[in-house]
Amino acid sequence: GNSVTQMEGPVTLSEEAFLTINCTYTATGYPSLFWYVQYPGEGLQLLLKATKADDKGSNKGFEATYRKETTSFHLEKGSVQVSDSAVYFCALSTNTGNQFYFGTGTSLTVIP
Amino acid sequence: DAGVIQSPRHEVTEMGQEVTLRCKPISGHDYLFWYRQTMMRGLELLIYFNNNVPIDDSGMPEDRFSAKMPNASFSTLKIQPSEPRDSAVYFCASSLGPGAQYFGPGTRLLVL
């Protein structure tokens, strides 16, 4: 079946530290992959996406590369800011039947 | 683009009362999703529609929950009668085909 597994949090980093949040997936066929961010009291916002193998999604300094060989889509940012404190969700979408699967979310806190 | 619109943003009601949550998807999107988010259970898909037709309602917890989509620009999620364990944040999301979902700001429901 299809599923998404992401690293458990919470993650606490100092400002300007390097961020990696791991995400691996299991899917039949060739899914699209997404990262969403949820700030406190808000809905989920699409952060970035990749639709095929070796694609790199990027936005606001965040990057993730669709790695088919390792079935991974790890989220990275070179220098985090306090404003990046939020919960991050990895997700996949199957291209048939529009099944959407979310990971459990990873809470990130960035301290000054 | 106004994004996905949900109303009300907050709802406080007493056990046994009927609750109706409303959603206006992004214009032109053909998929609409209802989710529930709690600390204990995370993000749960309740039901989704394609071209106004319910496709999968297996996530609807009980017969007390019902959802309708009378037209492409409006959907409701109704809980009747409401119970304290229904307290959660309810999100509506929409997408164009099997792609990225765009979330509304959510309705925070508290059932006393």
Side-chain angles (χ1 to χ4, degrees), chain A residues 52-93:
Chain A
K52 61 182 187 296
D54 299 325
D55 267 1
K56 177 185 285 188
S58 61
N59 186 24
K60 301 180 181 179
F62 291 89
E63 294 183 339
T65 301
Y66 188 163
R67 301 284 189 201
K68 189 172 186 298
E69 63 275 15
T70 54
T71 62
S72 65
F73 193 56
H74 305 320
L75 183 68
E76 297 181 335
K77 186 175 186 183
S79 176
V80 293
Q81 305 300 310
V82 172
S83 57
D84 294 327
S85 298
V87 179
Y88 292 83
F89 292 88
C90 185
L92 75 79
S93 170

Side-chain angles (χ1 to χ4, degrees), chain A residues 13-70:
Chain A
L13 295 174
S14 297
E15 203 165 23
E16 299 184 2
F18 185 87
L19 168 71
T20 300
I21 301 178
N22 290 336
C23 172
T24 57
Y25 68 90
T26 302
T28 54
Y30 302 94
S32 296
L33 301 173
F34 308 86
W35 277 102
Y36 284 81
V37 58
Q38 185 177 29
Y39 299 103
E42 299 184 11
L44 280 70
Q45 300 175 23
L46 178 65
L47 181 59
L48 54 83
K49 66 178 181 181
T51 57
K52 61 182 187 296
D54 299 325
D55 267 1
K56 177 185 285 188
S58 61
N59 186 24
K60 301 180 181 179
F62 291 89
E63 294 183 339
T65 301
Y66 188 163
R67 301 284 189 201
K68 189 172 186 298
E69 63 275 15
T70 54

Side-chain angles (χ1 to χ4, degrees), chain A residues 38 41-43, chain B residues 4-13 19-24 34-38 46 75 77 79 86-93 103-111:
Chain A
Q38 185 177 29
E42 299 184 11
Chain B
V4 175
I5 299 172
Q6 292 187 246
S7 65
R9 293 294 308 276
H10 302 272
E11 177 80 32
V12 180
T13 190
V19 175
T20 300
L21 311 181
R22 296 173 177 79
C23 175
K24 177 179 169 56
W34 282 101
Y35 290 89
R36 177 172 68 176
Q37 187 178 41
T38 61
L46 301 177
S75 177
L77 178 67
I79 308 173
D86 302 331
S87 298
V89 181
Y90 290 81
F91 290 106
C92 176
F103 283 72
T107 295
R108 293 182 177 276
L109 173 65
L110 178 62
V111 182

